[in-house]
C-alpha cells in the first residue's frame, strides 16, 4: 500500500509462511518506531512445514534472536485466518487491559491491502498503517523457495480481497483494471491452488 510508517502503540505481525513479517517487525522495533510487537498465527497447510511450532512462535523466536527483548513481545497462537488475527489479538490485548489506539500492521507484501481492509472492518477504531518486508521480487521468491507457490498465493490473496469484501468480512478495495486482468490471466494459466471457490 506504500503507506508511510509512523510511531504507534504496537505492531501486529500477521502469521504466514513469510519470515519477512518478523524481519520487518524487528526493523521497526530497533528503529524505535514501535515499543511492542504482537505476533499472531497458529498454522495452516502452507506454513506447518516451515514453522512447525506455529507462525507466531517462530516469529517471536526470530525477534528475540535479533535483539528484541522477550518482554516487548506478545504472541497469539490460535488464529488461522486474517479475521482471527485481528479478533484474537484484540481479545488478548483487552484481557491484559492494554489500551491500543494505533498500530502498524505487518504482513506479506501482497497481503497488505487485504490486511488493511479486514482490520478496518473488524477493528475500525484502531488507527493503522500497513507495511511489509519488501525485497526485490526475485529475492523474495528465492527466500520462499518456490515461485509457483508464491504466484498461487498472490492469486489467492487477490481473490480473497474481493470475495471477503463481498461477504462482509472486509471493507471493499478498488481493484485496478490491470490487476484484475493479471489475476484472470494467472487463473487461466493454472495458478489456482489457493483459490477458495
Amino acid at each position: 500500500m506504500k503507506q508511510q510508517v509512523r510511531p504507534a502503540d504496537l505492531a501486529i505481525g500477521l502469521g504466514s509462511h513469510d519470515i519477512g513479517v518478523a524481519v520487518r517487525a524487528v526493523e521497526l522495533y530497533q528503529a524505535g518506531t514501535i515499543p511492542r510487537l504482537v505476533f499472531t498465527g497458529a498454522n495452516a497447510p502452507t506454513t506447518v512445514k516451515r514453522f512447525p511450532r506455529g507462525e507466531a512462535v517462530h516469529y517471536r523466536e526470530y525477534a528475540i534472536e535479533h535483539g528484541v527483548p522477550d518482554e516487548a513481545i506478545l504472541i497469539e497462537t490460535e488464529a488461522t485466518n486474517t479475521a482471527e488475527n485481528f479478533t484474537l489479538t484484540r481479545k488478548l490485548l483487552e484481557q491484559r487491559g492494554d489500551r491500543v489506539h494505533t498500530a502498524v500492521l505487518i504482513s506479506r507484501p501482497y497481503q497488505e491491502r487485504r490486511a488493511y481492509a479486514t482490520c478496518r472492518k473488524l477493528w475500525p477504531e484502531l488507527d493503522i498503517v500497513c507495511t511489509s518486508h519488501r525485497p526485490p521480487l526475485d529475492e523474495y521468491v528465492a527466500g520462499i523457495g518456490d515461485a509457483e507457490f508464491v504466484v498461487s498465493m498472490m492469486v489467492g490473496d487477490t481473490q480473497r480481497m474481493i470475495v471477503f469484501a463481498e461477504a462482509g468480512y472486509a471493507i471493499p478495495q478498488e481493484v485496478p483494471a490491470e490487476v484484475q486482468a493479471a489475476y484472470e490471466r494467472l487463473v487461466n494459466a493454472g495458478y489456482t491452488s489457493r483459490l477458495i471457490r
Side-chain angles (χ1 to χ4, degrees):
M1 294 185 70
K2 300 178 182 175
Q3 294 182 326
Q4 183 66 42
V5 174
R6 59 182 185 263
D9 295 330
L10 53 74
I12 302 172
L14 306 183
S16 73
H17 60 272
D18 185 353
I19 196 65
V21 172
V23 171
R24 184 67 173 138
V26 168
E27 289 173 354
L28 293 176
Y29 180 85
Q30 291 176 342
T33 306
I34 43 118
R36 294 187 299 160
L37 309 175
V38 179
F39 293 122
T40 169
N43 265 115
T46 57
T47 65
V48 70
K49 288 183 181 176
R50 192 172 182 100
F51 301 131
R53 292 181 306 285
E55 301 153 1
V57 171
H58 282 267
Y59 288 176
R60 176 184 169 273
E61 291 170 352
Y62 178 93
I64 290 171
E65 288 169 7
H66 289 83
V68 178
D70 188 30
E71 60 270 17
I73 305 169
L74 295 174
I75 59 171
E76 181 292 303
T77 60
E78 302 298 320
T80 59
N81 59 55
T82 306
E84 289 180 353
N85 288 140
F86 295 117
T87 57
L88 295 177
T89 294
R90 185 178 191 172
K91 181 179 176 183
L92 170 68
L93 293 168
E94 287 173 352
Q95 288 172 341
R96 291 174 43 87
D98 293 345
R99 294 185 179 211
V100 177
H101 303 287
T102 58
V104 176
L105 308 184
I106 306 172
S107 67
R108 303 178 301 243
Y110 52 88
Q111 188 187 12
E112 282 187 35
R113 187 165 295 280
R114 183 163 66 89
Y116 174 84
T118 304
C119 189
R120 297 300 313 134
K121 180 71 174 189
L122 299 176
W123 202 345
E125 67 276 18
L126 187 64
D127 183 10
I128 57 172
V129 294
C130 299
T131 190
S132 59
H133 178 64
R134 292 183 287 246
L137 185 58
D138 57 342
E139 289 179 26
Y140 182 84
V141 171
I144 300 299
D146 185 338
E148 186 170 325
F149 174 77
V150 172
V151 174
S152 294
M153 290 295 288
M154 292 170 69
V155 169
D157 216 74
T158 302
Q159 182 204 37
R160 282 165 175 76
M161 184 180 63
I162 297 164
V163 171
F164 289 175
E166 291 170 353
Y169 303 135
I171 64 169
Q173 295 292 291
E174 181 179 342
V175 179
E178 62 269 22
V179 172
Q180 183 66 36
Y183 166 79
E184 291 170 5
R185 282 195 308 273
L186 290 167
V187 168
N188 291 334
Y191 293 95
T192 58
S193 66
R194 295 296 299 154
L195 295 182
I196 54 176
R197 60 176 163 139

